[in-house]
Structure formats: structure tokens, C-alpha cells
Amino acid sequence: LFSASSRIGVHEDGPRRAERVVWSGTIPEDKYVEPLPTALHSKWPGIYSTITSAKKACRKREMFVDGKLASCSTVVYPNDLVERRQRANAGLFEQDHTLRATIPVVYEDEEMAVINKPAGLATHGGTVAESGEGGTPVGKSNGRSVRSLLIHVLKPTTSQEEPLRRPVHVHRLDRPTSGLLVCAKTKPALRGLSESFASRGVKKRYRAVVVGRLEGSGTVDAPLDGAPAVTTWKAVETTRSLKYDWLTTLDLFPATGRTHQLRRHCAYQLGCPILGDTRYGGYGDGGSDEEVGAKLPNASTKSGSGLYLASIELNIDHPTRGGGLHFMIEEPPKFAALRVREQGRYDRLSAEEKAPISPRLLDCEKP
């Protein structure tokens, strides 16, 4: 049996998107009780040429048995009705709207979106432990990442131009880094955005607080991992600190996108590691990962509030409509709070040191 029809799928697992039945068949009466993938392959080898292809359809949540969503472990019986359903129009799988507040959305249309990734949230998962907000170590993502949450954060696309099954991020930010992250909702948008990043057509500005004193501006042109790496920097302001002596707020403009490029350039070439960087924060002028230099005079760059690095500005062309798009967000509140706190502590101590000594205290010191 073969049939094709459209319907709004509603089943025991709850409402689904608009979908259509692209294939259906009935398990013959002479068939033994067996797992669904095995039955699909043995009965309809022209459609499901291997058990693997049948399993793939089940994993995509497309197979139904007597109207119920089936899995690879579903057992079928004689006369069971098996259907394969796919989307009748554009749109994503059902969403958990309680998760929408997890990631702020800066911009969104039918083809792309820009989000503000929180610090401590992995872009694509992974198990590398680094400090997140509050200085707590961040290990395995436990299933929570930008990739897994986007489907709940962004609205389903209504575009008919090759809509993606689920939105995807186009580039990455390190787990402890916060800020602007570009996502695609259709295949044409994904191709266009990926080409923009690959051709260096995307202009980005990061805000960082580094340990040490820098003034003016400059460019670091130092290869990383055998590939060219260029970063332009500009000092925004300097802050005195009892713990770190000097802190400098920098604007960083990466011309390339090497792994940990900004963190490594600040630590190794500028000699001023980014505050809160537990991986590269202990070294100064080194030139390379293999030949890192001596320890900085400061004992530690651990801040207790995570990494002080954020992507705050982005210029990019729209992937399908053309025309430039400009996005800018404020630096995280912890940046200003840090500067006020450190400068305040330094000023208070300086005032105490400069205060005249009371005559009464001088009298007490006389033998």
C-alpha cells in the first residue's frame, strides 16, 4: 500500500506541527512479531534498503504505528498500520516556551537570528572545564548548550526556501565568553552566513578587561597553530587595583578567527591576560604556546566572576536579502562593577595613607 495525504498531526504525545503522510503500509498477516526497522526493511526493501535507513527514519520522529509515534524499539504486529510523516510546510519541532528566557534574542527574522549568549553556556557542548559566572568550574554541558536550546528560543520559520529542521549557530564563542552569536534558520541563510565568516566579511568588536596597563592602540600579527592570526586592539580606559595594580579595558577587533585567538594574543603578545582567564591567565610575553614566557608579577588573574570577555558589536550582510546589518549591545554589567569596585578600594587605601597622623597617636608612640 502507498498513499500520500496532508493533515495536522495530533497524537498521544501531544500536538505536532502541520505534517503530511508521505508513505504508509500495513504489516501483512503472515508476518511475525518483530521490531519496526526489521519489518520495514524486510517488507519494503525498495524504500528502506537497509535496516539503518529504517532506523534513521525512526530517529527523526517520522514513523508512526497505528497513529502513535514509533521508535527503533517499537514492535509491530500483523495488520498494524505504519505511516511515515514529514512536514507539510516550514516550521520547527514543538518548543518548550519556558526556556525562551534562557538566551536573549537580539534580532530575528524568517531566515536568521542574532542572540546574546550567556557566559558559561557552551555553544556546541563539550567537556572542557573553565570558569563561568561566579568563578564556578564549568564541566560537561549536561545537554544544555546553544545548539540544544535554540529550537526553544527562536520562533519557527515560515520560509519555504529550504527551512532547516532546527536552527543552527553559524560560528562559535568560547564557553566563558558572552555576547553576540549569529544563527541560521534556512539552508540559504546558513550558506550565505558561512561564506561571510569564511571570507572575513563579518566585522566584530569584543570588550575585555585585561590585567596590566595598556594605552593607545595597536595590532597584533602573530600566527597561532601555524595559521595567520591578526587582532587590532584599542585601550578604552585604565583602572587602578590593589590586587592587580592596573586593569585596562580594551576593545578587540579580530581579523581572523583562530581558537582562543583574543585570549592568547592578549596573554602572549601583549603580556596582559584577560581577567578571569584560567587557561592563559598566568603567562606574559611568550610568543607561542610552546615557549610561554615568565609568570606575570600578579599572582593570579582569577576574578571570581568568570572571564571578562564579551562580543558586543557585529556588522554583517544579510545572507539572502543583501544590505548591511549592525548589532551592538552593552558590555556585561560586571565590567563596570569591577572598575568601580577596584578603583574605589585603591582610592580608599591611598586616602588612608595620605591622611595626617593624629597628634594623639604620636603621643602614644613616645617612650
Side-chain angles (χ1 to χ4, degrees), residues 356-366:
I357 300 176
S358 171
R360 273 170 113 185
L361 293 177
L362 291 175
D363 293 339
C364 292
E365 293 176 358
K366 292 180 180 179

Coordinates of all heavy atoms in Angstrom, one line a residue, residues 356-366:
P356 N 46.8 62.8 57.5 CA 47.8 63.2 58.5 C 47.6 62.4 59.8 O 46.5 62.0 60.1 CB 47.4 64.7 58.8 CG 46.0 64.8 58.3 CD 45.8 63.9 57.2
I357 N 48.7 62.1 60.4 CA 48.7 61.3 61.6 C 48.2 62.1 62.8 O 48.6 63.3 63.0 CB 50.1 60.7 62.0 CG1 50.5 59.8 60.8 CG2 50.0 59.9 63.2 CD1 51.9 59.3 61.0
S358 N 47.3 61.6 63.6 CA 46.7 62.4 64.7 C 47.8 62.6 65.8 O 48.6 61.7 66.1 CB 45.5 61.6 65.3 OG 45.1 62.2 66.5
P359 N 47.8 63.8 66.4 CA 48.8 64.1 67.5 C 48.7 63.1 68.6 O 49.7 62.8 69.3 CB 48.4 65.5 67.9 CG 47.8 66.1 66.7 CD 47.1 65.0 66.0
R360 N 47.5 62.7 68.9 CA 47.2 61.7 70.0 C 48.0 60.4 69.7 O 48.6 59.8 70.6 CB 45.8 61.4 70.1 CG 45.0 62.4 71.0 CD 43.6 62.1 70.9 NE 43.1 61.6 72.1 CZ 41.8 61.2 72.3 NH1 41.0 61.2 71.2 NH2 41.4 60.8 73.5
L361 N 48.0 60.0 68.4 CA 48.7 58.8 68.1 C 50.2 59.0 68.2 O 50.9 58.1 68.7 CB 48.4 58.3 66.7 CG 46.9 57.9 66.5 CD1 46.7 57.6 65.0 CD2 46.6 56.7 67.3
L362 N 50.7 60.2 67.9 CA 52.1 60.5 68.1 C 52.5 60.4 69.5 O 53.6 59.9 69.9 CB 52.4 61.8 67.5 CG 52.3 61.9 65.9 CD1 52.6 63.4 65.5 CD2 53.3 61.0 65.3
D363 N 51.7 61.0 70.4 CA 51.9 61.0 71.9 C 52.0 59.6 72.4 O 52.8 59.2 73.2 CB 50.9 61.8 72.6 CG 51.0 63.3 72.3 OD1 52.0 63.7 71.9 OD2 49.9 64.0 72.5
C364 N 51.2 58.7 71.9 CA 51.2 57.3 72.3 C 52.4 56.6 72.0 O 52.8 55.6 72.6 CB 50.0 56.6 71.8 SG 48.4 57.1 72.4
E365 N 53.1 57.0 70.9 CA 54.3 56.3 70.4 C 55.5 56.8 71.2 O 56.6 56.2 71.1 CB 54.5 56.6 68.9 CG 53.4 56.0 68.1 CD 53.6 56.3 66.6 OE1 54.6 57.0 66.3 OE2 52.9 55.8 65.8
K366 N 55.4 57.9 72.0 CA 56.6 58.4 72.8 C 56.9 57.4 73.9 O 56.0 56.9 74.6 CB 56.3 59.7 73.3 CG 56.2 60.8 72.3 CD 55.9 62.2 72.8 CE 55.8 63.2 71.8 NZ 55.5 64.6 72.3

